[in-house]
Amino acid sequence: MELEIRNFKKSFNENTIWTNLCTTMKSGEIISIHGKSGEGKTTFLRCLNGLEPLEKGQVFFDGEEVDLTTMGGDERPFGMVFQGFNLFPQMTVWENIVLAPKYHKQKEEEIQERALALLDQLELTEHKNKKPHQLSGGQKQRVAIARACMLQPKVLCFDEPTSALDEETSERFVSILKDLSRTGMIQIIVTHDKPFALEVSDRILHIREGVFFEDK
Ligand SMILES: Nc1ncnc2c1ncn2[C@@H]1O[C@H](COP(=O)(O)OP(=O)(O)O)[C@@H](O)[C@H]1O
Ligand SMILES: [Mg+2]
């Protein structure tokens, strides 16, 4: 599978954030977007996930265009793990992860099966009835990953994933990313954490003067 980002442009009113982002990503690749605050990294992820409209640009999977404004829920091409995770505080771990697939009317047995497998894989089974405030930072992050994976995205995006993790949890996170990469998922990681980006990524992109450039 190949993802192509073509000619992305975005402005907020008069403020142009980037003018021509282009890149291609392959199955299983882990790509970091590294750089200073304000370069438009979060906005890039939000546009990919249909949370923010693009001014210009196209997305292709294996040469076939995807419309970011009408992406379906059943097999969403993009998933997002937010900075701060954005878990629903009043819901348990289990409720957090089954909510979106239920909303998209997926089959109950399939939802259960996938949720149980993800809880097991991410070592969350014993926490499934807890609420977010009863979890550590690393556990919350794993719930956010499980929740995003429930809709089986082809591309999983992470916004500043290490900012809430201590060093030990961060190592465990690296091994989760590598496991996901073996399933063929593309992972895009926005980070200001250079050592982490160097350790985990196949490639590192920067946004300079409105375009991507690569240094690894
Ligand atoms: N909803 C918005 N409305 C107006 N300006 C925004 C909005 N979101 C982000 N921006 C501006 O876009 C620029 C890039 O922001 P962001 O994507 O958050 O950068 P980064 O994640 O690289 O720090 C910043 O100047 C920010 O103030
Ligand atoms: Mg940001």
Side-chain angles (χ1 to χ4, degrees), residues 12 15 17 36-44 52 159 190:
F12 291 107
N15 182 17
I17 310 301
K36 291 192 294 290
S37 161
E39 291 178 341
K41 305 182 299 298
T42 296
T43 303
F44 172 68
E52 185 70 65
D159 195 6
V190 156

Side-chain angles (χ1 to χ4, degrees), residues 67-129:
D67 181 353
L68 296 181
T69 60
T70 61
M71 294 188 300
D74 267 10
E75 276 215 10
R76 280 181 67 87
F78 297 97
M80 176 97 158
V81 176
F82 294 91
Q83 182 169 20
F85 318 130
N86 293 10
L87 300 177
F88 303 110
Q90 74 282 21
M91 293 184 190
T92 64
V93 167
W94 179 263
E95 289 163 345
N96 263 279
I97 69 175
V98 300
L99 185 71
K102 282 193 175 164
Y103 176 79
H104 291 297
K105 309 233 181 313
Q106 294 184 359
K107 284 209 193 77
E108 188 63 34
E109 292 136 62
E110 284 168 25
I111 296 175
Q112 298 266 336
E113 198 178 313
R114 208 174 319 129
L116 288 170
L118 279 165
L119 287 175
D120 181 50
Q121 186 189 337
L122 293 163
E123 297 175 58
L124 289 167
T125 306
E126 64 184 298
H127 305 295
K128 77 180 170 70
N129 296 318

Side-chain angles (χ1 to χ4, degrees), residues 9-23:
K9 179 177 182 192
K10 176 72 184 172
S11 310
F12 291 107
N13 304 315
E14 304 297 279
N15 182 17
T16 298
I17 310 301
W18 14 261
T19 49
N20 196 15
L21 298 181
C22 298
T23 189

